[in-house]
Amino acid sequence: ARAALRGAFDEAAVAATGASTAAILARARARSVGAPRAAADELGQLREPAAIAESAARLATLFAMRSGDAVAALAFSRAPQSLVALRSAARAAQAAGDAAREREILAAWAARSGGTERAAALARIAELSLAVADFAAAEQALRDATLADPDLGTLRVLRNDLMRRDPGRALTEGDEPALVLAAKLALDPGAATDERTFIERARSGT
């Protein structure tokens, strides 16, 4: 983590133009160890030039998180574009409990990445969708995540959770046979209705 922070400071310093920008970076670096929230406030001032704004916003986000102020960290993240900035912003949004903002950031993260990283972002979108019973969005996110990385371990857990909570939803890729799912649901005393749904699906071959 310290190496990442040093690297981010170095990137910002390279892009810095003007004595005032350099002075803000110097003060923030000096305060970063003992007073991370003060460092975040210093860095939050840097919105120009564009070449340095995102690096400064990412650093401010990280320092605000380190100080325990997730809400401020999310505010400092502004409009992240790079993958590293999107990761930091997503963590801040999750810590702040801002699900709507987190979904926006995760969608941008998924759009800019591929493979396991894209799958992980989409899996989190699916998790957030399940939390508000948006089963259609959860299913779509899981389908897209499976295309990105079918071996990501969390996908099966989330898929089974979706099937348990919405048994009438027919997932067609990567599912267990309906009779197997029915047997699992039979272990749940309150799942009689769900079990009948799966048995009917099995009989019809869907």
Side-chain angles (χ1 to χ4, degrees), residues 86-160:
L86 285 163
R87 292 187 204 108
S88 298
R91 285 193 293 272
Q94 183 175 1
D98 190 334
R101 180 65 178 135
E102 186 182 359
R103 284 179 67 109
E104 293 176 2
I105 295 166
L106 289 166
W109 183 1
R112 289 169 173 76
S113 58
T116 301
E117 187 164 0
R118 172 175 166 79
L122 289 165
R124 177 59 182 162
I125 291 176
E127 185 178 357
L128 291 170
S129 299
L130 285 170
V132 294
D134 188 347
F135 300 131
E139 179 180 358
Q140 186 60 58
L142 287 172
R143 288 183 185 281
D144 292 343
T146 300
L147 290 174
D149 183 0
D151 297 322
L152 185 67
T154 56
L155 296 183
R156 176 172 290 276
V157 174
L158 290 167
R159 189 180 297 116
N160 287 343

Side-chain angles (χ1 to χ4, degrees), residues 6 13 15 26 56 85 99 103 134 145 168 173 179 194 202:
R6 284 196 300 271
R103 284 179 67 109
D134 188 347
E173 297 185 24
L179 280 175
D194 295 347

